[in-house]
Amino acid sequence: MKAAVYRKTGPAAEVLAVEDVDVPDPGPGEVRVRITRSAINPTDWKTRAGLTGRDPDDFQVPHQDGAGIVDAVGPDVSDREPGQHVWIFFAAFGNRFGTAAEYSVLPADRTVPLPDADHDDLGACLGVPGLTAAQCLGGDPGALDGKTVLVAGGAGAVGHYAIELAKHAGARVVATVSSEEKGELARAAGADLVVNYREDGATERVGGFAEHVDRIVEVALGANLDLDLAVAGAGAVISVYANEPNDPVLPVRRFMTANATLRFVLLYGVLPDELAADLAWVRDAVAAGALTPLPISTFALDDVVAAQEAVEKGAVGKVMLVP
């Protein structure tokens, strides 16, 4: 099969190449999926660049997320069958065969059935962004009914699914963005109010919409601290899922006064029970038709370097390979 591989970490153009690799066979508890979409997340290029770990053993096929068709099942797999359309998450997490290839072999429980081929774009978008959004929202949709949620970066992948999951759970949602173009994306996802945080009066606009905010999904804690603490109600939870170049200085007294909880989310370290709850939430929202694909840019597998570089430069929406 054709697969994008790297054997050492570094710049995409220096370490990524498309090669012929033996098609792997699924082992116990595993499935083989013929990949139709391979989606790229920031953690994919950061891992390839060497920012999050060491060089791979022998080789690594990148990309955690994707969609495709089950091609073969290994021993002890009874709930997946050939021909089934699935979406994929954590394909390259502790596993050599990510989704940037014609086939991937991975644990069966990292695949989730999709209704049909028409949902492959949506399925490939979900994975890390959708599950991160669910975790940042607390993993329990019932707890959000009637609450107010603030989503920072509402046009991003995590922000998009945080808006849609929160709305499906019965919450009111405010999203912050940096431009009118991004504001249109947040409104399309269902945000009740969209605020450009670069404009004067952003805090007042959020405060005029809701007396207080119950939960905040935060992409840039340092940049948004003042707004977050100004609108957070007693007991508010601020979930931070991304880091900034410089660590922010936390105003401890203001956090205490707000009685706010600050928590940090890195999906790869979430406890199994919590991840299972996040997965169930996303799966049920898909079944209910509550989630939509991000704006998609597609590249051929041979153009994996350009695709990863696009994500590294901050492409809006979801960049995908179509093997």
Side-chain angles (χ1 to χ4, degrees):
M1 67 176 183
K2 290 175 63 177
V5 302
Y6 63 93
R7 291 178 168 78
K8 62 179 181 179
T9 57
E14 296 179 14
V15 302
L16 267 177
V18 176
E19 301 180 4
D20 288 326
V21 176
D22 290 339
V23 177
D25 292 320
E30 295 181 333
V31 296
R32 185 171 65 211
V33 179
R34 179 169 63 80
I35 301 299
T36 60
R37 305 285 190 278
S38 174
I40 307 174
N41 296 300
T43 52
D44 293 320
W45 75 256
K46 290 177 182 179
T47 301
R48 180 265 305 151
L51 302 181
T52 62
R54 58 181 179 81
D55 289 349
D57 295 327
D58 193 8
F59 71 87
Q60 178 67 50
V61 178
H63 304 173
Q64 303 287 356
D65 295 343
I69 303 167
V70 175
D71 172 71
V73 300
D76 304 324
V77 176
S78 59
D79 55 353
R80 300 289 184 273
E81 59 185 24
Q84 212 171 20
H85 284 265
V86 294
W87 60 274
I88 297 165
F89 66 98
F90 283 2
F93 184 41
N95 182 44
R96 177 169 293 167
F97 295 101
T99 64
E102 293 179 317
Y103 293 88
S104 176
V105 162
L106 71 163
D109 60 7
R110 298 183 189 180
T111 68
V112 186
L114 280 167
D116 51 47
D118 289 340
H119 290 76
D120 280 8
D121 281 348
L122 170 61
C125 286
L126 296 172
V128 171
L131 295 172
T132 297
Q135 178 66 202
C136 286
L137 290 168
D140 178 10
L144 287 184
D145 190 19
K147 303 296 186 182
T148 301
V149 173
L150 170 62
V151 178
V158 174
H160 176 89
Y161 290 114
I163 293 170
E164 292 191 332
L165 288 169
K167 288 297 298 178
H168 183 56
R172 303 170 72 212
V173 180
V174 181
T176 59
V177 297
S178 61
S179 69
E180 179 55 30
E181 177 188 6
K182 292 182 177 180
E184 288 302 316
L185 294 175
R187 277 186 279 271
D192 298 289
L193 174 68
V194 177
V195 175
N196 188 327
Y197 66 84
R198 292 178 172 173
E199 296 179 351
D200 293 338
T203 299
E204 290 73 19
R205 288 194 64 196
V206 177
F209 175 78
E211 182 178 347
H212 64 266
V213 169
D214 301 293
R215 195 161 202 112
I216 299 172
V217 179
E218 186 55 76
V219 67
L221 180 64
N224 297 328
L225 256 175
D226 285 342
L227 189 154
D228 290 348
L229 289 173
V231 302
V237 178
I238 304 172
S239 296
V240 184
Y241 66 89
N243 66 305
E244 297 160 280
N246 298 311
D247 290 335
V249 176
L250 299 182
V252 175
R253 173 61 64 180
R254 291 179 65 193
F255 270 98
M256 293 176 67
T257 301
N259 277 287
T261 297
L262 181 62
R263 66 185 298 262
F264 296 91
V265 173
L266 181 62
L267 194 66
Y268 304 96
V270 168
L271 295 173
D273 288 351
E274 294 183 6
L275 185 62
D278 299 332
L279 183 60
W281 188 356
V282 173
R283 186 184 61 233
D284 291 348
V286 170
L291 303 185
T292 61
L294 292 149
I296 293 170
S297 301
T298 59
F299 291 74
L301 179 59
D302 287 335
D303 296 325
V304 62
V305 170
Q308 282 213 3
E309 288 176 342
V311 178
E312 193 167 349
K313 292 173 183 175
V316 176
K318 180 59 67 174
V319 175
M320 293 186 188
L321 303 178
V322 180

